Amino acid sequence: MWTPEREEQARRLAEELARAPARDIVVTMAMNFVEVASVKIDAGDLPGAQLAIDAFDGVVAKLGARLGDAEGPLRQMLGQLQMAYAQRATQPPPSADG
């Protein structure tokens, strides 16, 4: 239900977004993909991990240098995620008898 409090929260969020540099917001959102991918890899949800990695890769590949100083570290994180995914994907599934 939409309340005056929620409307005020939405207004404050919009003001914060308007003040923040777009690059900072995009980098923050990209880091959300990193977190999702990491959790999904750890949980063994490889399709979910791959989706998050592909989304992260899309941001990094498409925006590249427009990400400023964050580009290098983001590319490194992408490589680490891809390596972690590949390692998890080649592990045998856990046995049923423990």
Side-chain angles (χ1 to χ4, degrees), residues 7-26 28-29:
E7 186 171 338
E8 177 62 22
Q9 287 176 330
R11 186 191 59 73
R12 282 195 310 263
L13 178 59
E15 288 174 358
E16 288 176 32
L17 289 173
R19 285 191 303 271
R23 179 175 43 210
D24 293 352
I25 296 168
V26 169
T28 298
M29 296 299 178

Side-chain angles (χ1 to χ4, degrees), residues 6 9 19 26 35 39-40 43 47 54 70-71 75 85-86:
R6 286 190 181 197
Q9 287 176 330
R19 285 191 303 271
V26 169
E35 183 65 26
V39 169
K40 295 294 186 182
D54 288 348
E71 179 186 10
R75 287 190 186 279
Y85 175 89

Side-chain angles (χ1 to χ4, degrees), residues 12-90:
R12 282 195 310 263
L13 178 59
E15 288 174 358
E16 288 176 32
L17 289 173
R19 285 191 303 271
R23 179 175 43 210
D24 293 352
I25 296 168
V26 169
V27 169
T28 298
M29 296 299 178
M31 292 306 298
N32 288 331
F33 292 135
V34 172
E35 183 65 26
V36 170
S38 297
V39 169
K40 295 294 186 182
I41 289 169
D42 288 344
D45 178 359
L46 296 182
Q50 187 64 63
L51 180 63
I53 291 168
D54 288 348
F56 182 55
D57 183 28
V59 170
V60 174
K62 184 70 175 174
L63 299 178
R66 293 173 61 192
L67 298 172
D69 292 343
E71 179 186 10
L74 290 176
R75 287 190 186 279
Q76 287 178 334
M77 279 184 250
L78 177 59
Q80 292 169 352
L81 280 174
Q82 290 168 330
M83 189 179 313
Y85 175 89
Q87 289 172 346
R88 183 63 187 243
T90 60

